[in-house]
Amino acid sequence: MALATMAAIYGALKTVLATTSGVDQSSTSEYLPPIQTANTALIITPFGKESRFGIESFADTSASWQAHRIRCEFWTKHTGSNSTTMSRAWDIGSAAVTVLLANQTLGGVIDTIGFFDGNGGFDFEIDAVTDDEMIEIAGVPYLRTVVNVPVSDFA
């Protein structure tokens, strides 16, 4: 079986994470959050991606496994209520992890959530970090939460 392409992995991540409560816009091609979001925009780009590929021997012409840590950004729009914005930003990281754990193969696109180290070990840690301050884009303030998702796939 061939390894999943990055386009397939990104698409599957977008499909799964777009079901996170509060997400009403999502993109794998645009960096800036859609201004028309009413709540939270999900942005998945190659920025900050970490990848590892493994081969069985020097004679191999393709990788036998791949592991990635993919940066997924949730941009929570400030709509005037500080308590609402903060509450949504607090909850989005854990809500995203819950969705990922319920869909650990991303619909069969990958083998598992988790970062394979090439030596038989896995790092199953999913990081969720919220920025220290609002980011303003076109006069609209957002609070960004970055969720780093580890994925592994084997041929």
Side-chain angles (χ1 to χ4, degrees):
M1 184 167 106
L3 296 174
T5 65
M6 287 311 302
I9 294 170
Y10 273 56
L13 258 178
K14 177 185 155 192
T15 298
V16 168
L17 287 175
T19 67
T20 304
S21 178
V23 173
D24 60 356
Q25 298 283 320
S26 60
S27 179
T28 57
S29 61
E30 302 295 326
Y31 177 67
L32 297 178
I35 300 302
Q36 64 269 28
T37 184
N39 192 343
T40 301
L42 166 64
I43 310 298
I44 305 173
T45 67
F47 300 140
K49 178 177 73 79
E50 177 186 346
S51 297
R52 277 197 164 156
F53 300 90
I55 58 172
E56 298 299 318
S57 75
F58 289 117
D60 287 349
T61 58
S62 61
S64 58
W65 61 267
Q66 63 181 335
H68 311 280
R69 283 193 179 91
I70 300 171
R71 180 182 177 138
C72 302
E73 299 183 4
F74 292 87
W75 291 73
T76 300
K77 186 176 188 176
H78 179 60
T79 55
S81 168
N82 288 337
S83 62
T84 299
T85 301
M86 296 305 141
S87 177
R88 287 191 319 224
W90 278 327
D91 293 342
I92 199 73
S94 58
V97 170
T98 299
V99 167
L100 287 167
L101 293 178
N103 297 279
Q104 293 189 31
T105 65
L106 303 179
V109 172
I110 60 164
D111 284 303
T112 189
I113 295 292
F115 192 79
F116 183 62
D117 68 6
N119 296 315
F122 274 91
D123 175 0
F124 293 104
E125 186 174 292
I126 302 171
D127 298 326
V129 179
T130 301
D131 288 344
D132 292 335
E133 59 190 4
M134 297 285 225
I135 299 170
E136 192 169 301
I137 299 171
V140 179
Y142 294 87
L143 191 51
R144 180 181 62 176
T145 299
V146 175
V147 177
N148 292 303
V149 181
V151 300
S152 292
D153 193 30
F154 304 91

